[in-house]
Amino acid sequence: KKIIGNKISICYAGNLGEAHNPKFIKNIVDCINPDKHILFLSLYGSKYDEVFEYSKNKNGIYFLDNIDRKNMHMIDIHLVTLLKKWDHVCVPSKAISAVSQGSAILFECTEQNDNWQLLQNAGWRINFNDFEAVSKFMSSISKDSIAIKRKYAIELSDKLKKIKENSFNKILNNIINVW
């Protein structure tokens, strides 16, 4: 809490593997204003070393071994990236996890991405390798705009929980009716 203060907290937590774009994270790193932002990176995967080496000596960036799920809600914006060829193949669980904790997402993906279609009210979308868009986003983002996306994230989380509950009830009813 002391490190964050009034800064906007941003985080990429999870796998940075074949389906993800390390350049997106590096673009965020290049746009961090340590007076305004703080970036937490809790990474693993095949592209970890590339981002670690690029980011390790930059101000406003902290590497963490892990982020406990109970603390995920403290992050203002979770970063999510999924390369186009992985659309409809992979589901970036970090997007669902972030929204289910009431956080906003900044998602580098195609407009047709399943998760984006489901979660778009809780975040912002960036086109691939668009440094100008990342820079503009980082310079203009405010706690007020984040609060609006967080509100939608909470509403979406409640909706997803109801969908899950209804699905389990349908499964249970089908099992009972078969017996």
Side-chain angles (χ1 to χ4, degrees):
K1 193 76 172 165
K2 200 175 208 181
I3 294 172
I4 296 174
N6 289 328
K7 296 177 184 176
I8 294 170
S9 59
I10 303 167
C11 179
Y12 188 96
N15 186 26
L16 189 61
E18 293 308 310
H20 310 107
N21 185 8
K23 186 169 183 179
F24 174 59
I25 307 305
K26 294 191 306 190
N27 285 343
I28 296 289
V29 165
D30 287 340
C31 294
I32 288 292
N33 173 348
D35 295 328
K36 183 179 178 183
H37 313 113
I38 187 164
L39 176 62
F40 296 104
L41 297 173
S42 180
L43 311 169
Y44 65 91
S46 62
K47 298 176 183 174
Y48 165 84
D49 288 338
E50 177 182 347
V51 170
F52 177 76
E53 288 303 318
Y54 188 82
S55 309
K56 68 182 178 183
N57 295 319
K58 309 266 178 148
N59 289 330
I61 300 167
Y62 295 85
F63 284 87
L64 304 172
D65 290 334
N66 66 1
I67 297 175
D68 195 312
R69 186 174 210 87
K70 70 180 180 184
N71 296 323
M72 295 283 281
H73 72 281
M74 296 171 68
I75 302 297
D76 292 315
I77 302 170
H78 287 266
L79 303 174
V80 183
T81 176
L82 188 67
L83 294 169
K84 181 179 182 174
K85 69 181 180 178
W86 292 94
D87 267 0
H88 317 302
V89 176
C90 293
V91 175
S93 59
K94 63 184 66 60
I96 298 289
S97 295
V99 169
S100 70
Q101 296 298 316
S103 293
I105 57 173
L106 177 61
F107 201 163
E108 183 198 47
C109 66
T110 66
E111 196 169 353
Q112 296 76 32
N113 179 279
D114 311 30
N115 268 19
W116 177 248
Q117 291 300 311
L118 178 65
L119 305 174
Q120 62 186 296
N121 289 337
W124 303 267
R125 189 180 69 82
I126 297 281
N127 288 322
F128 294 97
N129 302 320
D130 190 343
F131 179 79
E132 188 175 311
V134 170
S135 178
K136 183 177 178 182
F137 175 83
M138 294 294 286
S139 65
S140 65
I141 192 65
S142 69
K143 289 280 192 177
D144 289 341
S145 61
I146 292 167
I148 292 167
K149 297 298 183 178
R150 280 181 169 269
K151 179 181 171 278
Y152 284 120
I154 291 166
E155 289 172 7
L156 276 167
S157 176
D158 291 342
K159 180 180 174 183
L160 292 173
K161 287 175 187 169
K162 285 179 181 150
I163 290 170
K164 178 181 168 183
E165 185 180 326
N166 289 340
S167 296
F168 282 136
N169 286 335
K170 283 182 183 179
I171 292 168
L172 179 60
N173 287 335
N174 285 338
I175 290 171
I176 291 170
N177 289 333
V178 168
W179 295 98

